[in-house]
Amino acid sequence: MKREIKELIELINKNKPGRSINIMEVCGTHTMAISRYGLRQLLPESINLISGPGCPVCVTPIGDIDWIIEIARQYDVSIFTFGDLFRVPGTESSLYNEKSRGRDINICYSPIDVLNFAKTNPDKKVIFIAIGFETTIPLTSVIIKKAYNEKINNFYIYDTHKLIPEALELLLLDKEVKIDAFLCPGHVSAIIGSKPYGFIAKDYHIPCVISGFEPLDILESIGMTAKQVKEGRSEVEIQYKRVVREEGNPTAVKSMYEVFDRSDSLWRSLGNIPGSGLKLKYKFLRFDARAYFPVKKIKSSEPAGCECGNVLKGIKKPTECKLFSKACKPENPIGPCMVSSEGSCAAYYKYEKFKT
Ligand code: SF4
């Protein structure tokens, strides 16, 4: 392993362009691996890794958290969510705090467990908070089809799913954001394949490399992106060939679009991104928690001083936030990037706060 790392670093040095470049690792799992294995510190100074918006919890608008809290307060419902969202602060509370006040809010590991809970508790109204990117959407769609076919009428979803390629285009259009190349997410790409990134290479002339998650994968991918920049190429290359195919997983994609249509979506700090979200098709509208559990108007506001927006766009490093490691720590998070296991601030706090 040591020898392979040394060889990859030599290759990166050989292929580095004659200028400084910013490579954005889109996916939060990449961010965590880069911090954990100290990969940033192995690179030449001219290669700057910046984190992107690929952390589903981090890009879930604070208004959604406030909305879910209001549903829990106003209705007799059982709410299930993945663990990371539990501790993200809303405007004046969190799901964790509401749970401690007796609301029926629970952590789940899979939506199938939630559906089974609904099946075995027909007297309860059960809401699954459907969060995540293309990696998790096919599973949600399978669960909804199953609920539909089995006529499970006490199951609902609060949909906050988001699609990655559209968010990357938004970053490229933002004049404040400087990106020379993307490390594209391996898991998302296992579903959608490499073609949806084609417009980034073709229209914006930005190289893309779909990367695996092991340290050697990431280093190899950085070398591939640097080489493209140096040679003036912009292509979509797949480093993570043991998992990702050019065509992705057509069965999973078909399943997604049997249940959902594309829609615009609001991303935390990034704003509304056209075509970056999903809405239930007419046939499945009865599963829509927002429609069945309306809440009175909520006034949401972002936490003062939190720089998550700039962190998610790669404009600032977590350590450039004045609250980092002072008022904001994992045990007392102020923004979502310090909570999530894929959040940049959490990664820097855990592994890099003494290195930068
Ligand atoms: S350190 Fe905390 S307050 Fe600052 S950007 Fe990160 S999550 Fe937000």
Side-chain angles (χ1 to χ4, degrees), residues 305-308 311 318 321 323-324 328 334-338 345:
C306 174
E307 295 271 11
C308 274
V311 170
C321 171
L323 306 181
F324 178 83
C328 184
I334 288 177
C337 302
M338 188 57 92
C345 300

Side-chain angles (χ1 to χ4, degrees), residues 17-243:
R19 63 180 175 92
S20 289
I21 58 167
N22 289 336
I23 300 176
M24 174 175 274
E25 86 273 1
V26 174
C27 176
T29 313
H30 282 148
T31 303
M32 227 6 126
I34 288 163
S35 291
R36 181 174 182 191
Y37 296 109
L39 303 186
R40 201 182 316 279
Q41 288 74 23
L42 298 177
L43 298 176
E45 265 186 26
S46 60
I47 295 185
N48 184 31
L49 296 181
I50 55 177
S51 305
C55 157
V57 166
C58 305
V59 296
T60 298
I62 194 165
D64 277 328
I65 296 166
D66 292 339
W67 191 313
I68 296 161
I69 287 170
E70 279 307 312
I71 292 177
R73 286 174 175 175
Q74 294 179 29
Y75 295 92
D76 183 15
V77 290
S78 299
I79 294 177
F80 288 82
T81 178
F82 295 132
D84 273 1
L85 195 66
F86 213 59
R87 291 187 58 245
V88 178
T91 301
E92 43 95 12
S93 185
S94 67
L95 299 177
Y96 177 82
N97 287 342
E98 294 302 308
K99 168 94 181 162
S100 65
R101 288 170 190 153
R103 319 276 179 221
D104 190 357
I105 304 174
N106 311 279
I107 291 177
C108 66
Y109 298 98
S110 164
I112 190 70
D113 296 337
V114 185
L115 188 66
N116 286 337
F117 179 86
K119 256 164 108 170
T120 50
N121 293 275
D123 54 320
K124 289 188 187 277
K125 292 184 170 61
V126 179
I127 302 173
F128 170 59
I129 311 301
I131 189 171
F133 301 125
E134 290 91 334
T135 328
T136 49
I137 299 166
L139 182 56
T140 308
S141 64
V142 166
I143 296 302
I144 291 172
K145 282 189 277 184
K146 192 170 163 57
Y148 180 86
N149 291 335
E150 295 183 20
K151 297 186 174 49
I152 302 172
N153 293 323
N154 60 329
F155 176 76
Y156 305 85
I157 69 155
Y158 187 97
D159 176 30
T160 69
H161 285 310
K162 305 204 182 313
L163 306 173
I164 284 286
E166 286 70 18
L168 303 189
E169 182 166 34
L170 180 107
L171 294 178
L172 293 173
L173 293 169
D174 188 325
K175 293 205 167 32
E176 269 193 281
V177 185
K178 307 277 178 246
I179 297 168
D180 295 287
F182 282 119
L183 286 192
C184 296
H187 294 146
V188 163
S189 308
I191 304 296
I192 64 174
S194 59
K195 288 180 189 160
Y197 307 108
F199 74 94
I200 296 172
K202 187 166 166 280
D203 301 340
Y204 294 92
H205 310 292
I206 297 290
C208 297
V209 174
I210 297 168
S211 177
F213 297 95
E214 297 300 325
L216 295 179
D217 289 327
I218 296 171
L219 288 175
E220 187 177 19
S221 301
I222 291 168
M224 289 164 74
T225 45
K227 191 161 190 272
Q228 281 201 49
V229 176
K230 186 179 183 184
E231 294 174 356
R233 288 184 291 122
S234 56
E235 297 164 17
V236 183
E237 295 181 300
I238 305 174
Q239 179 277 334
Y240 200 24
K241 285 195 173 140
R242 61 190 188 276
V243 173

Side-chain angles (χ1 to χ4, degrees), residues 268 303-312 316-329 332-339 344-346 349:
R268 187 167 189 162
C306 174
E307 295 271 11
C308 274
N310 286 328
V311 170
L312 288 166
K316 285 198 174 175
K317 285 183 182 173
T319 45
E320 291 175 288
C321 171
K322 289 194 176 100
L323 306 181
F324 178 83
S325 188
K326 295 184 182 86
C328 184
K329 295 181 178 184
N332 178 36
I334 288 177
C337 302
M338 188 57 92
V339 179
S344 303
C345 300
Y349 185 88

